[in-house]
Amino acid sequence: MYKRVIPNGEIQKLIITEETAKIRPYAVVAVLRNIKFTKDRYESFIELQEKLHQNICRKRALVAIGTHDLDTLSGPFTYTAKKPSDIKFKPLNKTKEYTACELMNIYKTDNHLKHYLHIIENKPLYPVIYDSNGVVLSMPPVINGHHSKITVNTRNIFIECTGTDFTKAKIVLDIIVTTFSEYCENQFTVEAAEVVFPNGKLHTFPELAYRKEMVRADLINKKVGIRETPENLAKLLTRMCLKSEVIGDGNQIEIEIPPTRADIIHACDIIEDAAIAYGYNNIQMTLPKTYTIANQFPLNKLTELLRHDMAAAGFTEALTFALCSQEDIADKLGLDISATKAVLISNPKTAEFQVARTTLLPGLLKTIAANRKMPLPLKLFEISDIVIKDSSRDVGARNYRHLCAVYYNKNPGFEIIHGLLDRIMQLLDVPPGEKKGGYVIRASEGPAFFPGRCAEIFARGQSIGKLGVLHPDVITKFELTMPCSCVEINIEPFL
Amino acid sequence: MADGPVAEVLLQRLEAADGGLDSAELAAELGVEHQTVVGAVKSLQALGEIIEAELRSTKRWELTTEGEEIAREGSHEARVFRSVPPEGLPQSELMRLPSGKVGFSKAMSNKWIRVDKSAADGPRVFRVVDSVEDEVQRRLQLVQGGQAEKLGEKERSELRKRKLLTEVNLKTYWVSKGSAFSTSISKQETELSPEMISSGSWRDRPFKPYNFSAHGVLPDSGHLHPLLKVRTQFRQIFLEMGFTEMPTDSYIESSFWNFDALFQPQQHPARDQHDTFFLRDPAQAQQLPMDYVHRVKRTHSQGGYGSQGYKYNWKLDEARKNLLRTHTTSASARALYRLAQKKPFTAAKYFSIDRVFRNETLDATHLAEFHQIEGVVADHGLTLGHLMGVLREFFTKLGITQLRFKPTYNPYTEPSMEVFSYHQGLKKWVEVGNSGIFRPEMLLPMGLPENVSVIAWGLSLERPTMIKYGINNIRELVGHKVNLQMVYDSPLCRLDAERGPPSTQEAA
């Protein structure tokens, strides 16, 4: 049972000024009194803070934890925000004082701290906590002061958690103090401390709230698929440190949720704990009686049928990346990126993730380039999605299912690619000719194609793609040397 | 070759010969290269029992190139002798002659010449005898004529030391008549032809034996990609289990459907730039179902539907942010939302297998794009036991029968389970999937009835493919750096059958 105790002497106080409101408004505090550290406990204490920083604190952006040797300080404490040039102190593990501006520069090259500078860097005022003698406890979320550094010998710890999310700050504080209160002289007790908010309101922390939840025993049984008595279920939950007992009509279980379980926000969280205590592998496996008739997604069904016949036609299937460089879909094909209506990715780590592909052709050409040593001819195909911006869609973009095939050999093989197109139309039951529902190809041109060897394909009343001999510029830009023909069509009109 | 002139002559000689003949002798007799005779012997052998050939190793003495020269021109010492006129020759001049240096010392030791060192214009060479017998040349000519045996052992050794003779190991064949000997050999056929069929001449022709241990001619075929072959099998499994395929043909998704609708809070680390690809253009989703959005907002920030919620400020702008979907669970959410709009509720089983994108660190087994397999069952009164039962049937179709479950955490399922199976090759339990029951905070705002549970599970397509086909580096499987030879050679995807030799069974 974790308890918050009011100290006999003076209660520690943190006063928040209104300057913090714009940058990091919330702070919560607590004291661990008469704690006994060993080397392991001390290292664990530091590690817990780091772990919390990484996950629930979302890399210190939401909450930052500062722990201090209370015996080196004197309250009351002030949490305010000041101009960087006005903040000067000796930070943790350094030998002299620096201003906040200087520290921002110094830590730019620090592999650990450089990731947190951006949280306050460009703000006019930086958060800072002082004690009553003007000693800097910390400049959250970046670094603590050296003065109040905790060591293995520290007996009394002052903890402050500042941040932009009040709920998370309270949870984080609860986690730290409950975990380490075990090592206090008065085991499992935490000394209360107060926060005075800018509006004058006073709050006492840590909250260490216990709450009671009620769950019906038959609900647990129903959701897990077991048949335990309410008493047994209460026992299982108690084993999970959720103290429970059967109350009321014998079907209700009352569960006490301790402050260490901020993750329990719905009955399903309690049900999971019951299932874990029961043992997942002890649960009987049963099949649902759900009767359904399966349906294939029509576009995928068509794709599967076409894939097999493309292989039967002698072409080999490739699977290429949907993300590529801007060059791949524009410059290398003689186009300007703005003409492609491509979806652009923000902050790509490398050029390979700049855009989503608007054509399958670059992927196939790159596959040939990576397999130069294979015997000729190389006949590849891919039936997969490309992405185009489309303002009529809820997200502003949509996929199209394309079929693309290339023929790479000592001769361009245009008639072979043309023949492949004829075969595909035959398989799709689209007759040649201008008649309704038929297909025709008409001479065309395009920057990616060799002049006089390019055609546009019209079927079911619309243009569905192009075929032709690739332009030598395209061939060389993709680091290839042989002539190459290709065809690329949208297969969605054939659904 | 068996019908060549050499073979014919060989057979004729063999008929006349007593016992047999030697291939090298025959070659010399016919004036052809020994190899030609050997070729004829071998091709005759291939015809069956016509001849018998025994490999023999004989030694022969042959002249070296220098030896041949001497046999022609005479030994160096003899040439030296001949070039000294009666009046003698200055030594310096003698030494400049082609055989001079080599022949001088030998001629001296033979006492054919002498040097007068006291001559006026330098040392002068004079003949000692009037004529000489060029023994060396005579001996070499004997060997050349095939009569090396007339020379003594010592003489042969001496010539060998002077590098004029070499001993050669000659492999010859001793050819004798076989049980089916005949001087007339007919040409062997290799293939049946239309003419032979119509004329019936095939009955009289012998056919060359077929080499069954060589490979045939591979048909000129196309090939399907191994990963997609595995995808076909998984689709098949789901369809066999009555699951309907969800539409997933949209790589671009809004944060709302990818995260918020799944009850994943806006402060969750997965929504960082580090793990998710956000879009520059189009940056925001313009259309969202606003009634539903408000319910989601309330659930996140204040709670409801029996939940405390996360208690933070939920922002619409954050939900509008477009991204490349990080899982196909967003498509499942859309499908469940559509299901919830249909009243009255009818149970459903859905699946999808499609591409997802993660902006994480890349290594030998991780790429930025991969394929996720997802199965979902929505019905009244589903339990964790039902989830495990469905998983058992699903994995049995993959040939995996031993399953164990371990508690885990997902933001949108509770309870959650990791699924493990026992890998025979590695002799340990390996993770084969992730599963759980969707949280009420996700399902109830959609409008699904309260006692409807939705169980779900997922796994990646790449991992079982790499294990099945023994591939260690994902780049050889997916993307343009694919090993095309591997694609050409990969066998049928039979998920429930053990793969050939277990040597390549390694976990991805």
Side-chain angles (χ1 to χ4, degrees), chain B residues 250-264:
Chain B
S250 47
Y251 293 158
I252 309 303
E253 190 53 280
S254 62
S255 290
F256 178 72
W257 285 107
N258 198 76
F259 294 122
D260 298 281
L262 301 175
F263 199 55
Q264 191 158 346

Side-chain angles (χ1 to χ4, degrees), chain A residues 200-326:
Chain A
K201 274 191 126 147
L202 196 137
H203 283 256
T204 313
F205 294 108
E207 288 195 342
L208 290 186
Y210 281 78
R211 66 177 207 272
K212 289 222 169 30
E213 294 289 346
M214 214 100 80
V215 182
R216 289 185 61 80
D218 58 8
L219 181 71
I220 300 178
N221 281 328
K222 225 173 56 142
K223 292 287 182 187
V224 178
I226 53 179
R227 283 207 191 98
E228 292 290 289
T229 63
E231 287 73 29
N232 278 349
L233 290 175
K235 279 205 194 99
L236 288 173
L237 287 170
T238 307
R239 256 173 54 201
M240 296 296 286
C241 296
L242 294 172
K243 213 163 78 171
S244 307
E245 56 178 6
V246 181
I247 61 160
D249 61 354
N251 242 308
Q252 295 272 33
I253 303 177
E254 191 182 68
I255 304 129
E256 187 184 72
I257 316 285
T260 46
R261 295 302 301 272
D263 62 299
I264 299 198
I265 58 177
H266 188 285
C268 65
D269 298 298
I270 295 169
I271 292 169
E272 183 187 75
D273 271 28
I276 293 174
Y278 184 83
Y280 283 174
N281 292 307
N282 296 326
I283 301 171
Q284 193 190 20
M285 300 194 206
T286 52
L287 273 181
K289 293 190 175 57
T290 319
Y291 177 77
T292 50
I293 302 281
N295 285 313
Q296 299 185 49
F297 184 53
L299 188 55
N300 290 351
K301 187 172 180 180
L302 177 61
T303 301
E304 281 290 294
L305 292 169
L306 278 173
R307 283 177 64 224
H308 284 87
D309 269 300
M310 289 291 287
F315 280 71
T316 294
E317 193 173 30
L319 208 196
T320 60
F321 294 126
L323 304 181
C324 57
S325 69
Q326 223 169 261

Side-chain angles (χ1 to χ4, degrees), chain B residues 445-460:
Chain B
M446 288 180 180
L448 285 168
E450 217 178 295
N451 54 4
V452 166
S453 287
V454 183
I455 58 179
W457 77 97
L459 57 153
S460 89

Side-chain angles (χ1 to χ4, degrees), chain B residues 75-114:
Chain B
S75 65
H76 299 294
E77 54 273 28
R79 282 184 255 171
V80 161
F81 178 79
R82 282 200 287 273
S83 48
V84 177
E87 63 273 24
L89 193 67
Q91 191 180 9
S92 50
E93 222 181 281
L94 182 73
M95 294 307 246
R96 278 203 293 273
L97 293 173
S99 293
K101 288 209 178 85
V102 180
F104 178 73
S105 50
K106 201 75 177 142
M108 284 290 283
S109 69
N110 283 353
K111 295 202 177 19
W112 291 352
I113 54 175
R114 66 177 172 86

Side-chain angles (χ1 to χ4, degrees), chain B residues 487-504:
Chain B
V487 177
Y488 291 169
D489 299 340
S490 68
L492 293 177
C493 172
R494 298 167 64 189
L495 289 173
D496 55 349
E498 262 305 301
R499 183 175 196 230
S503 54
T504 47

